Amino acid sequence: MSVITVPAPDFDLAKTLNSGQVFHWIAADGGFCGLIGDLPVRVQQFESTLHIALSKGHRQDAATSIRHYFALDHALGDICRSFPSDPVMNAAADYCRGLRIIRQPKWECLATFICSSMKQVAHIRQMSQALRRNFGEQRQIGNQLLHTFPDAAGLAERSESDLRACALGYRAKNLLATAGAIASGEVDLDRWSELPNDELQKNLCSLAGVGAKVANCVMLFAYERLTAFPIDVWIERVLREQYFAGKRKPTAATLKQFSTDYFGAHGGYAQQYLFHHARMTNKRRKAPRKANRRDELVSSH
DNA sequence: CTCCAGGGATGAT
DNA sequence: ATCATCCATGGA
């Protein structure tokens, strides 16, 4: 095992990997173990430097892969200055300093977000892990075992019940159908990189289990479309409560229009910051509610 | 126990 | 075009 260092100014590894954009990294020894495509690594951050542990034989272009994957080339200062200045956005931008939108492999990103529907982040992690453990190839970094994400052809030849065994539920059929479309050659995700945003979104939405929200996540996290603005239940709450307070309930079309008009050329970054900030500062998580009188009476027996 | 989660597909107004 | 319902599963 060897270690290389990569300069990473204006970067927060933990916030980036815990922000609900990627689901397979495992926290270990004050760092994270995971795969960048096929490359197993352990990443630790010491201030503005990343220490990357690599297995033998993976030395040459690893630093380039790391910089590309973590999007260390994004001009984060310029991106944040392009945000609108309002109390909600400013609080999110302050909280999320150093959080970057990373560049994920397309199929891996698409497949995990097909699994994401009506699931909490913790559940998506479990499904991703199960798919990798059951159907991926084994890799190792130090004494940490990892598994690659199974390619579309590999998943396509499994049965629906095989995928349901990974706790996918009704999502299994969708993932299987989309894996089949890719395995057959009918769909080529890499070639879709050349398409403009509207056509890319239309094509993604033609896949089983992919609607506007999942399509926008894949565009943002795998196709470098930084204007893509996924609207999930959290973001919808933020928009309704913070930007449409007191108004009649805005329709989905109204929210979509507002988000593209208001948040600007890097709306996807603004969205991710609003999402992560809303989730992390939500009162319902962690802080247990104080027991009221009735609870105390019940529990005193 | 109930409520809800990075939704999508389908069918009825 | 908007709305209702169903789809599985597990954390809080």
Side-chain angles (χ1 to χ4, degrees):
Chain A
M1 206 162 71
S2 60
V3 175
I4 64 173
T5 62
V6 174
D10 211 1
F11 179 57
D12 189 319
L13 177 68
K15 276 198 174 69
T16 297
L17 295 183
N18 290 328
S19 66
Q21 59 177 314
V22 64
F23 304 96
H24 76 278
W25 290 87
I26 300 167
D29 326 307
F32 294 88
C33 292
L35 289 147
I36 295 179
D38 229 16
L39 174 69
V41 296
R42 185 163 59 81
V43 186
Q44 288 182 284
Q45 179 167 27
F46 298 96
E47 302 190 342
S48 290
T49 304
L50 298 180
H51 290 210
I52 316 289
L54 300 163
S55 300
K56 276 185 283 207
H58 287 123
R59 191 87 194 268
Q60 300 80 342
D61 57 349
T64 305
S65 301
I66 303 284
R67 274 193 291 267
H68 185 261
Y69 182 78
F70 290 120
L72 298 180
D73 55 309
H74 282 174
L76 211 50
D78 293 340
I79 288 170
C80 290
R81 278 188 289 277
S82 78
F83 293 160
S85 180
D86 66 62
V88 180
M89 188 71 247
N90 292 342
D94 188 52
Y95 182 85
C96 296
R97 193 162 301 279
L99 196 170
R100 287 172 185 267
I101 305 278
I102 69 174
R103 295 187 179 94
Q104 298 184 46
K106 295 177 178 61
W107 162 245
E108 178 181 322
C109 180
L110 171 62
T112 54
F113 275 98
I114 285 174
C115 296
S116 75
S117 108
M118 290 299 293
K119 276 298 188 185
Q120 295 181 171
V121 170
H123 297 154
I124 304 169
R125 303 183 82 98
Q126 288 174 199
M127 291 184 281
S128 162
Q129 281 304 114
L131 289 169
R132 287 171 178 273
R133 188 163 33 78
N134 292 342
F135 309 126
E137 294 174 15
Q138 194 168 303
R139 295 287 187 276
Q140 192 163 355
I141 183 70
N143 54 12
Q144 177 73 55
L145 274 183
L146 301 169
H147 299 269
T148 63
F149 195 87
D151 61 25
L155 277 189
E157 57 189 36
R158 304 291 171 172
S159 70
E160 183 180 331
S161 62
D162 285 341
L163 299 192
R164 280 182 180 259
C166 301
L168 291 191
Y170 64 87
R171 304 156 194 84
K173 184 182 294 187
N174 291 331
L175 183 58
L176 201 54
T178 293
I182 293 166
S184 73
E186 174 193 340
V187 167
D188 184 341
L189 294 180
D190 286 324
R191 212 161 52 198
W192 287 3
S193 297
E194 305 159 12
L195 298 175
N197 289 341
D198 53 347
E199 286 187 42
L200 175 57
Q201 176 162 27
K202 184 162 61 69
N203 285 8
L204 286 169
C205 287
S206 74
L207 301 171
V210 181
K213 190 271 172 183
V214 169
N216 275 305
C217 285
V218 176
M219 290 170 69
L220 179 60
F221 301 136
Y223 282 90
E224 306 182 52
R225 308 303 171 100
L226 298 186
T227 58
F229 195 100
I231 299 179
D232 73 318
V233 290
W234 288 93
I235 290 297
E236 182 170 349
R237 255 199 307 267
V238 170
L239 294 180
R240 278 197 285 104
E241 295 175 2
Q242 306 293 341
Y243 294 96
F244 288 84
K247 310 208 170 195
R248 279 200 341 103
K249 194 170 103 176
T251 66
T254 303
L255 293 180
K256 172 176 159 55
Q257 188 65 46
F258 172 77
S259 64
T260 56
D261 290 345
Y262 183 71
F263 291 102
H266 303 97
Y269 258 99
Q271 177 278 153
Q272 190 64 12
Y273 283 18
L274 292 170
F275 171 81
H276 187 56
H277 182 240
R279 252 171 42 85
M280 291 303 113
T281 59
N282 178 24
K283 295 291 189 286
R284 278 188 294 114
R285 65 188 286 122
K286 291 290 181 198
R289 138 186 96 80
K290 257 179 82 76
N292 62 28
R293 240 188 308 264
R294 187 163 52 82
D295 290 337
E296 285 167 8
L297 283 172
V298 170
S299 63
S300 65
H301 284 271

